[in-house]
Amino acid sequence: VQVPEGFTAVMSATSWEKQEDNTFVFKMSQPIPSYLIALAVGDIVSADVGPRSRVWAEPCLIEAAKKEYDGVIEEFLAVGEKLFGPYVWGRYDILFMPPSFPFGGMENPCLTFVTPCLLAGDRSLADVIIHEISHSWFGNLVTNATWGEFWLNEGFTMYAQRRISTEVYGLAYTCLEAATGRALLRQHMDNTGEDHPLNKLRVVIEPGFSLFLGVNPEDTYNETPYEKGYCFVSYLAHLVGDQSKFDAFLQAYVNRFKFQSITADDALGFFLEYFPDLKEKGVDSIPGFEFDRWLNTPGWPPYLPDLSPGEQLMKPADELAELWAANSLNTEAIEAVDITAWRTYQLVYFLDQVLQKSPLPEGNVERMSKMYPKISKAQNAELRLRWCQIVLKNNLEAEYSKVKDFLHSQGKQKYTLPLYRAMWGGSESARALAMETFAATAPQLHVNVQNYVKKILGLE
């Protein structure tokens, strides 16, 4: 790849070298599916953050990127290897994309592309990186054969991410993060309707047809393959009943199918073959939990993993949200709760509860904003998203500028669409804010995100 002077090319490849006249030569020594071939060119520089990892970013971001990820990548990789077998891709580098990048991360082998929103300054959004690292085994090494079975990539990866997270951060924290994921699934299914054909794990994709026959491939990127897929993999683990046996199965699964594209039938067939006693018991056809039902019936997962170990972190957040939703505020009880020690996902969980109880009684959100600058002035994208949603649901016009600033600062689909939905479902002034913000930011949004926003605003 030859690029202009002053630019650098990087690629999802095992090796690269720069030759004269600014030509970069890449080699990929492993077979990969075509969707993982990725190339980026820009004014980018790199910094080492581990024995086999470096971060790439524009010069203005490189210090922040190095600080955020120094030493942590190797820890996650090592835990992943312990759980799922050798990391086969050589390097694990990260490229920080421009803010308009529509996704949290894209697991391009050897070089994950991520949103700069991950630079929270306190390593609190590292779980996105754990997710992309988990794809090194599930998705990149064992790949779904068709996008109709996207859950094979994402459900197994969510499960793997939460296994690594449990080893690194403990079970309580991981259950709290999973509860946040479950809330997103609930939100998605409420938006689309549980019976929507998208809410099956095996989606019928027939582009160009009406919705009754199939779905637009773009729309398969939603919470269902991730979180319902996670529930299905958790259900398989529950059938096995022993974590270390299930971990051993995952290693065997990766080993059996590595460098192959497979279907759900391949994966589930191997599961039953690996556990002949379960096959004999007919676990694939337990009424209500049939594998076929999991794959082919839309709707809420028939089995939900137990997240009660997260209660110790959820309970204080639930109780605090209750206090804020009261008609007359018990200021003493509220001030007795010290949230300065809460980690990001505990705050996220608290804000999700507040959002569910919104609109709050008159004046409560203003009081909350003053009392918790850590939340209302946060630079952390997950907190900003929730605070903006609360501002809109409570029609707090005094803080509309925060919604506008957040939408001007990034174009991630999972942050952008919920805010436009909230504005469009809100007051006249919220709708005006939506139109004004979209008119100003549309050119910097990815075309898919632009189209989704147009749909929400009825501009099609």
Side-chain angles (χ1 to χ4, degrees):
V1 180
Q2 187 179 18
V3 300
E5 210 40 61
F7 287 94
T8 299
V10 289
M11 212 169 170
S12 54
T14 31
S15 73
W16 68 285
E17 56 169 315
K18 184 180 176 181
Q19 298 181 345
E20 60 256 35
D21 67 6
N22 233 24
T23 299
F24 294 82
V25 178
F26 300 96
K27 285 195 181 77
M28 183 52 164
S29 51
Q30 312 281 23
I32 57 170
S34 54
Y35 73 91
L36 291 176
I37 298 171
L39 166 71
V41 177
D43 174 13
I44 50 174
V45 291
S46 68
D48 286 329
V49 292
R52 44 185 163 171
S53 304
R54 63 172 76 91
V55 287
W56 287 93
E58 292 173 79
C60 59
L61 281 184
I62 196 70
E63 275 313 305
K66 183 172 164 55
K67 205 174 127 217
E68 196 86 10
Y69 286 102
D70 208 4
V72 292
I73 306 259
E74 188 55 37
E75 181 185 8
F76 299 152
L77 282 173
V79 175
E81 289 192 297
K82 191 181 85 183
L83 289 169
F84 313 121
Y87 177 77
V88 304
W89 306 100
R91 295 199 63 82
Y92 187 90
D93 294 349
I94 302 178
L95 170 67
F96 287 87
M97 298 291 280
S100 58
F101 185 59
F103 306 115
M106 178 59 212
E107 65 274 11
N108 304 311
C110 312
L111 182 68
T112 284
F113 288 22
V114 296
T115 169
C117 293
L118 293 192
L119 298 175
D122 58 2
R123 301 187 166 183
S124 58
L125 300 183
D127 62 298
V128 173
I129 285 296
I130 301 179
H131 180 88
E132 306 313 333
I133 284 174
S134 300
H135 272 304
S136 307
W137 293 272
F138 304 97
N140 296 7
L141 200 47
V142 181
T143 308
N144 48 224
T146 72
W147 293 115
E149 297 192 321
F150 187 39
W151 79 272
L152 276 175
N153 278 13
E154 295 302 348
F156 275 90
T157 295
M158 290 305 295
Y159 187 86
Q161 170 197 322
R162 289 172 181 153
R163 280 295 293 120
I164 294 176
S165 169
T166 300
E167 297 284 312
V168 177
Y169 299 120
L171 190 55
Y173 182 75
T174 303
C175 286
L176 179 67
E177 186 274 322
T180 303
R182 188 178 295 177
L184 289 173
L185 179 65
R186 183 70 272 167
Q187 225 174 358
H188 160 71
M189 288 205 178
D190 290 344
N191 275 336
T192 53
E194 274 194 23
D195 299 336
H196 194 287
L198 278 175
N199 295 329
K200 300 189 289 194
L201 289 181
R202 188 182 272 151
V203 180
V204 183
I205 300 176
E206 299 184 47
F209 286 101
S210 77
L211 256 189
F212 299 104
L213 291 173
V215 297
N216 176 349
E218 296 294 358
D219 297 338
T220 57
Y221 176 68
N222 63 58
E223 301 304 333
T224 295
Y226 290 77
E227 294 294 346
K228 189 176 180 176
Y230 166 71
C231 289
F232 189 19
V233 179
S234 301
Y235 175 64
L236 297 177
H238 162 77
L239 288 173
V240 173
D242 174 322
Q243 187 67 61
S244 57
K245 278 187 185 162
F246 192 70
D247 287 349
F249 159 73
L250 289 176
Q251 273 208 38
Y253 166 81
V254 168
N255 208 25
R256 166 76 175 77
F257 295 115
K258 60 178 183 244
F259 302 117
Q260 293 177 54
S261 295
I262 67 166
T263 64
D265 293 339
D266 296 326
L268 296 169
F270 180 70
F271 174 77
L272 294 171
E273 190 184 306
Y274 188 88
F275 295 109
D277 50 326
L278 292 181
K279 185 178 187 170
E280 212 158 293
K281 276 207 250 172
V283 293
D284 53 337
S285 49
I286 297 168
F289 301 95
E290 300 89 348
F291 289 2
D292 186 75
R293 174 181 169 170
W294 274 103
L295 293 175
N296 298 311
T297 308
W300 195 242
Y303 169 87
L304 295 170
D306 171 27
L307 303 181
S308 60
E311 283 297 330
Q312 51 177 290
L313 298 170
M314 292 183 227
K315 202 163 171 257
D318 281 323
E319 287 167 357
L320 186 60
E322 281 291 337
L323 289 171
W324 278 106
N327 278 315
S328 58
L329 290 181
N330 180 342
T331 326
E332 210 175 317
I334 286 173
E335 283 170 358
V337 184
D338 175 19
I339 68 162
T340 52
W342 288 12
R343 292 187 43 194
T344 297
Y345 272 97
Q346 196 170 9
L347 293 170
V348 161
Y349 180 83
F350 163 66
L351 293 176
D352 280 341
Q353 303 317 303
V354 171
L355 184 61
Q356 275 178 12
K357 298 176 195 304
S358 290
L360 301 186
E362 193 67 35
N364 288 16
V365 178
E366 287 93 324
R367 299 271 300 273
M368 189 187 289
S369 179
K370 284 193 185 72
M371 191 164 165
Y372 302 147
K374 178 183 177 177
I375 291 173
S376 60
K377 294 192 164 79
Q379 285 308 298
N380 179 302
E382 294 289 329
L383 297 177
R384 285 176 85 177
L385 166 66
R386 268 91 182 172
W387 185 250
C388 289
Q389 287 174 302
I390 289 167
V391 162
L392 291 166
K393 193 87 187 272
N394 291 277
N395 206 24
L396 188 60
E397 290 194 31
E399 298 202 13
Y400 273 9
S401 61
K402 288 182 179 167
V403 179
K404 194 166 119 183
D405 291 347
F406 187 43
L407 288 169
H408 273 264
S409 73
Q410 56 75 42
K412 184 178 165 182
Q413 185 170 311
K414 282 183 175 175
Y415 297 153
T416 303
L417 302 187
L419 290 179
Y420 278 104
R421 279 193 202 102
M423 286 186 280
W424 204 243
S427 62
E428 277 307 302
S429 55
R431 286 185 156 212
L433 178 69
M435 285 303 201
E436 174 207 335
T437 307
F438 184 58
T441 58
Q444 69 194 37
L445 293 175
H446 186 278
V447 65
N448 285 354
V449 181
Q450 274 184 33
N451 289 334
Y452 283 127
V453 176
K454 283 180 185 165
K455 218 183 222 167
I456 293 166
L457 305 183
L459 296 173
E460 286 192 309

